[in-house]
Every structure is written in structure tokens, then in C-alpha cells.
Amino acid sequence: MFHKNYPSNTLTKRLPVLLTTALAGALWLSSCSTTETRWDSPILVPPPDAQSQSAQTPATGPESMTPAGQPDELIQPVIERPYIQTADDVDRFQTAWRITRAYGLDLQNLEAKIDEYGVTQIHLGGDILQAVDDLILNPGKRDYVQRLAQRLDAKNVETLVCSHEIHLEGRTFLFNENAPLAAARQAAYRKALSLIPELDGVVLTFSNALLPPWDASLPPEYPQMSQPERIRFLVDLIRPVVVDELGKRLYIQLEGDSPQSSEWIVQALQSVMDDSIVAIVPSQTTPLQNALFQSFHDQPRIAELDLAGVQFGGPRFIVENWTDWPRWQSLRNQEDLEGVVSDIHGQNGSLLNSPNEINLFAFSKSGQDAPLDHTVLQADWIQKKLGLLPMSREGNVMSNLLANSFQWNAKMSFVQNMLCFSDNGGLPDPETWSLSQYLSSSQSMPQEQKYFLRRLLEPNKQMLIDMAQESAEAVGLLEQAIWDLESLQLQLDSMVYNDLHRRLEHQRFMADVLHYAKQVIWGFEYWKKTRDEDEALYLEAHLQKLERLADAMEERYPKDITPGNPDRIRSWVGRIRREFPRVILGWKERQWNQIKEVAIHQTGQNSVEIQWKSALPASAKVFAADQLPIFERMVSVSSYPITEHKARVENIEPGKIIYLKIQIQSEDGQITNSGVFPFQLESSPVM
């Protein structure tokens, strides 16, 4: 609960009397830009009693003059504003694209794609601007944003700018409405939005700011505030200017830079949300990440979709999110959802004209009433973009390659389909990453998810084997994809073929990097608990593998390659080596009864058959789920040990995605659990 509510008009009423506030605000703003350009101190507006005296005696001299271009409204906001259309006046589903980098962005191509896919909003952030202050203090950024906003305005497309708060290079912020820096933050929004009147609003975010509110310091003599209260204060500080005064849109990003900070943002906004604020709710692919945001289903919101596959390294990597397509359609048809937003162009490249544009194509079809059939959409896309005919051998090979891309990316980046370990397809920062950061105290999180997270803090041998199996499945899928692509070399345009081959080879490298990194991180935790000699040899082998992979990446790719930066790989090795010295006696690779060559086929209107091989004779079971993470059904395959396995799963609803998981037990009692294999039944299969 919050100790105090901040009325929307309180802050602006007090601005005229804040003489020292204005001076400190102007000086502070000049230090927070990403450029060396500075503001001169503005002419201060005297308090009301001084104003009445000066009206009777006209002032003379330079002190009475306002220099050209000075931000008078920094202190005294202009009350009369032209009417600007607010969010409530627009009744249409918002399709928003987020652009975080200007480099490589073809504006003509962007405009053509906007028309093609029916885009209604563009959100600008990242390298383009860190906060609204950049529009004031950096003329180059201001001119770029203004020109783009004008072009979009001519197409009836709205432009919003992302702003990270707190935009402050210091470490202290008082969270007090009378503090000078509070007035300065309001002034920054007022000035920036007046400089570019074509802007339609602000996307407020708290992660990756110069000073995130949860890192700000308060002097000991000031009342301490909880993290949600700090966030609430900032929202109540900015909303009166952006919404009430200027009539612009205000969106708020609910996702923080960690599960804990995301929870603080959610807690803060649950008590402040109203119709004038729209929440951007992450729409992730795992139950774990969805649980925290379910409480916002009654609030104005737009859903964040990963159409580019950014969490897996897209659009640099090939990521077809076909398992999300039915969910996108259900989101599109929700009456209380105002729209969606997705990253389109950023550090990992552009989604436009990449293989992952198939996700944009699929989403553009999600507004129709009929269920999306991913095989039909794939066939249309492959024929349109690659020139491969549907139902031909080449068309089927490419269709399978794209469909499997989601599987190998999920198996590379996730742990047991629950925890996303990778950072945009690469290794996370070893200096900030920790297992404990994923343990959330959210009461809305299902017990099975809390249980899984707690297991990660105390991994056992079975978990390490299952993680290795999941990584091996990713490697197998990628190697099959490379072989399949090479079989199409003569049928594809040479530039298209080389581009696809380069992406797949890069992902194949990263599959090994992420596999050994996960074995190192969780294997080290297990070794610390057991001091097992075999585990020490496994750990040494995995560390040496990472060192060799870093060298190979450096030889093959530019030094700053991402994902797969060699220095980051070596930093992870160094982090473990600080507590685990090199083993002199040697090393050895982990061995287990590996599940291989998994294949799933539809055998009827309501059934599938799954086949696989095991490295050693084993008995087997297959588990099936309609929704993760709970597997409701089990099919016993064989009670005696064999190496070639086959199972049939019945009573599956056509058009729905089913999730399958294999478990085998060898004669010595060793168990191997596979990763998750999604499969969608066609409504009218060709048998």
C-alpha cells in the first residue's frame, strides 16, 4: 500500500514559486544529455508577489530580457494548449512497431512495410534516444525524430518516444514533489514534446535508465520509500504533464530488468492505473513469465509480442514463432486489448526483409475469424518470398526448416522450457547474472513454477543430464536444418541461400556455447555441494570447451560479434575459475543415454505418432500436455528395454498445439527426460 497519493494537479500548481527548483533543474538537465550541448540557465519567473510589484515598475536592462530560444516554460508552464486527440478518442486496434536504432533503417522501405502490414504506431527508443532530454539537448537526434514523425504523421501513423527514468547521472533522487529535480523532470517532458508537436506520446520505462528508481539513494534524514512507491511517484510526476496538460498518450512498460523489478512495477501500477495510462504487458512464451502480468487483464493495455524473435537472437537468427500464432490470434480478438507492440529494428538487425518477417505476415492474418493454419501460412510465405512451390519437395523441406527453428531456439535458450537463460540469443552478463534473481515472491505464481525455480538453486545430477539432453536436441535440429538447406542450394537465389546458411552456422556455434555454459553454471553449483570427482572432470571439460569456442568465434567472426562475443565467453570461464581451479588430472565429457532422431507425424484426425531412438536399450513413456507446464497424460511405450521406440497419442483436438515429452529408463536405472516437442494437428490432414 502507498502512504500518500499525489493529485495530478499538485505539482504543476507549485511550479511558479520554485525559484531554486528551476535553477537546479536547468543545471541538471544540461548534465544528463548524451551530447556535450548545454542549456544556458533560464530566466527565473519570480513568485506571485514579486510579479505584482514588477508590473507596476517596468524593469530595464538585460535582466528583463528573455534570450531567444530559452525554455521559459521550464518554470511557468503555458496553460492554454491546443486540443490534441487523446487515447480515448481513437477506436482502433493499435499495431505498433518499436525501432531502437537508426543505422540501417531504410525509411522508404519502412513506409512500404507500414502500408503492407497496417501499422498504426511507431515507438522510438534505444540508440535513437534514451530519454526525452535527448530531444532537447541533441539537435541531431531531435532533427531525426522530427523528420520521421512528420513522415509518419502524413501517413496517419502515430509516433511515440521511449523515455527511461530516472534520467539522472547522480545517485540521489528525493522522490519529493517540492524537490528541484522533480520539477526538472516535468520540464523536460514539457519542453521536448513542445519542440516536436508531431509526437503523439511517451512510452515510460524504468529499466536500463541512468538511474533506475530501485537504485536511487535517499539521504538518511528523508523518509524511506518502498520500490513500488518510488515508481508510483514517477508516474504521478510525469502523467500530469504528458496527459493532462499536453493531451498526449502515456504508455508504461511493465517489464523491468529483472523478475524482481518487474514485480515492483506491477505492484506500483496496480494502484495508479486509470484510463489515461496504457500498460505494455509482456506476452512471453513460458508460463513462468506470464504469471506476473495476469492481474492486468482489466486495465487498458497493449501486449508486447516478440515477432522478431529477439529473446532468441532474432532477427539475426532464424526464428519462426509458429507456436505463438494461435495465441496472437486470441490476443487480437480480445475486446479489452487495445493493441500490440513488437521490436522491428534494433541492435540485432532488422526484422523487415529477414526470414523472420514470416511472423509479421502471420500476425497480419490474425485478424481473420478462421483459425490460423501455420502450414498454409508457411506455404504462402515460402512461395511469395523464396519462390518454392507448395507441396513440392523443396517447399516441404523449407517449411520443416522454418517450423523447427522455434524448437531449436527454445532448446538453446531455455532451461526445461521454463527459464530463459540466454540474453538475446547469447550469454548473459556474468557480472550481474545470478540464479537467485529468478526466484520471485509473487503470490500469483503457480506452485509448480516456484518448485521448478527452487530446484535450479540446488541442481542435482538428473537436472544436469536433462539439460544436456535438451541442448543435444537443439544441436541435432540445427545440423539437420543445415543439411536440408544445402540440399536446396540450386533452387534458391544465391544471395538468399548464403544469407540463410550464414545465420544457421552462427546459431550452430551458439548452440554449443549455450550448452557448455549451462553445464558449467549449474554443474559448478552441483560440484560445490557434492565435491564429486567425476563432476569436477565434467566441469573442467566444459570450461575448456568454452575457451576453445571463444577462440573459434574470434577467428571466424568480428571480435564484437553478437550473439557469441568471445570476451563474454571468456568472462564466464573466468567467473567460474575464480572458485574452481584448473584440474590437472584431466577431463571427460558427460555421458548419458541420449534420446535421438525424434520425429512426430499426424496419423489421423485426432492422433499423432512419435518415433525416436535411444543410445542404449531402455523402457519408455511419453507425456502429453495441452498447456504447459503440467503434463496431464502418460502413454506407456514399452516395459522392456529397446533402442527404437514408437508411441501413438490419441484424442487430440484438431488445430490445437499439443506438447510431448519423452522419458526413458535404461537397464541400470538411469533416466533421461527429453525437452518439449510441440506439434499442431491439421484440421484436414492429407493422409
Side-chain angles (χ1 to χ4, degrees), residues 143-197:
D143 291 345
Y144 179 84
V145 170
Q146 186 161 29
R147 288 197 306 269
L148 181 54
Q150 288 171 346
R151 295 178 68 158
L152 295 173
D153 191 55
K155 300 178 70 66
N156 197 30
V157 175
E158 297 179 347
T159 305
L160 284 77
V161 290
C162 301
S163 189
H164 298 255
E165 290 294 343
I166 308 167
H167 195 66
L168 176 66
E169 292 178 343
R171 309 310 299 169
T172 300
F173 190 83
L174 299 183
F175 299 97
N176 186 306
E177 60 192 57
N178 296 320
L181 293 181
R185 294 316 305 140
Q186 285 191 316
Y189 285 85
R190 184 177 297 113
K191 180 65 176 179
L193 294 175
S194 65
L195 285 173
I196 308 179

Side-chain angles (χ1 to χ4, degrees), residues 342-376:
S342 178
D343 286 301
I344 296 298
H345 186 92
Q347 291 291 338
N348 281 352
S350 179
L351 173 59
L352 307 179
N353 304 316
S354 78
N356 299 355
E357 194 178 328
I358 190 172
N359 297 313
L360 281 179
F361 177 72
F363 182 75
S364 70
K365 304 295 185 182
S366 64
Q368 60 193 26
D369 295 331
L372 291 179
D373 189 323
H374 82 272
T375 57
V376 174

Side-chain angles (χ1 to χ4, degrees), residues 190 476 570 618 639 647:
R190 184 177 297 113
R570 295 186 182 108
S639 57

Side-chain angles (χ1 to χ4, degrees), residues 38-43 66-73 136 191 195:
R38 301 178 66 90
W39 270 358
D40 294 328
S41 298
I43 298 299
T66 301
Q70 287 294 342
D72 297 25
E73 67 272 32
I136 304 169
K191 180 65 176 179
L195 285 173

Side-chain angles (χ1 to χ4, degrees), residues 102-305:
Y103 178 79
L105 181 64
D106 184 329
L107 296 184
Q108 288 186 340
N109 181 55
L110 174 66
E111 291 178 335
K113 296 295 183 180
I114 284 173
D115 293 337
E116 181 179 354
Y117 294 115
V119 177
T120 62
Q121 286 183 351
I122 295 294
H123 297 181
L124 303 176
D127 292 346
I128 297 175
L129 77 162
Q130 169 77 5
V132 293
D133 305 64
D134 285 339
L135 301 178
I136 304 169
L137 300 169
N138 190 318
K141 292 188 175 186
R142 178 172 66 247
D143 291 345
Y144 179 84
V145 170
Q146 186 161 29
R147 288 197 306 269
L148 181 54
Q150 288 171 346
R151 295 178 68 158
L152 295 173
D153 191 55
K155 300 178 70 66
N156 197 30
V157 175
E158 297 179 347
T159 305
L160 284 77
V161 290
C162 301
S163 189
H164 298 255
E165 290 294 343
I166 308 167
H167 195 66
L168 176 66
E169 292 178 343
R171 309 310 299 169
T172 300
F173 190 83
L174 299 183
F175 299 97
N176 186 306
E177 60 192 57
N178 296 320
L181 293 181
R185 294 316 305 140
Q186 285 191 316
Y189 285 85
R190 184 177 297 113
K191 180 65 176 179
L193 294 175
S194 65
L195 285 173
I196 308 179
E198 294 86 0
L199 292 178
D200 297 282
V202 172
V203 178
L204 185 61
T205 182
F206 303 102
S207 61
N208 301 316
L210 290 179
L211 179 62
W214 40 85
D215 290 341
S217 299
L218 279 169
E221 64 271 17
Y222 275 77
Q224 298 302 301
M225 299 180 71
S226 68
Q227 306 299 352
E229 286 177 313
R230 297 177 179 205
I231 297 165
R232 166 72 186 273
F233 174 86
L234 292 170
V235 174
D236 286 339
L237 183 75
I238 295 165
R239 186 185 66 81
V241 176
V242 175
V243 178
D244 298 342
E245 185 179 326
L246 301 177
K248 307 284 188 179
R249 293 182 183 272
L250 180 60
Y251 289 4
I252 300 186
Q253 189 82 40
L254 292 193
E255 190 171 24
D257 51 18
S258 69
Q260 181 62 77
S261 60
S262 296
E263 188 167 355
W264 289 331
I265 297 171
V266 169
Q267 291 173 359
L269 297 186
Q270 282 174 335
S271 64
V272 75
M273 294 297 293
D274 57 46
D275 290 341
S276 67
I277 298 176
V278 177
I280 299 180
V281 182
S283 183
Q284 301 288 356
T285 58
T286 63
L288 174 62
Q289 293 164 305
N290 279 332
L292 186 60
F293 305 102
Q294 291 175 351
S295 58
F296 274 86
H297 60 85
D298 291 330
Q299 301 288 353
R301 73 197 194 285
I302 65 174
E304 181 160 9
L305 305 182

Side-chain angles (χ1 to χ4, degrees), residues 390-458:
M391 305 304 293
S392 66
R393 183 197 73 85
E394 294 81 5
N396 288 332
V397 168
M398 182 57 67
S399 179
N400 289 332
L401 187 156
L402 292 176
N404 286 335
S405 67
F406 178 80
Q407 289 196 56
W408 73 60
N409 280 288
K411 293 175 187 293
M412 286 168 57
S413 296
F414 282 83
V415 178
Q416 300 291 283
N417 212 63
M418 289 285 285
L419 169 69
C420 187
F421 166 70
S422 75
D423 178 12
N424 293 346
L427 294 178
D429 186 347
E431 300 305 319
T432 59
W433 190 90
S434 68
L435 287 172
S436 59
Q437 69 177 312
Y438 291 97
L439 279 179
S440 174
S441 59
S442 173
Q443 298 302 312
S444 62
M445 184 180 295
Q447 288 299 319
E448 61 272 10
Q449 294 171 17
K450 291 182 180 180
Y451 169 75
F452 172 80
L453 287 180
R454 292 192 181 101
R455 281 184 60 209
L456 290 179
L457 291 179
E458 298 183 2

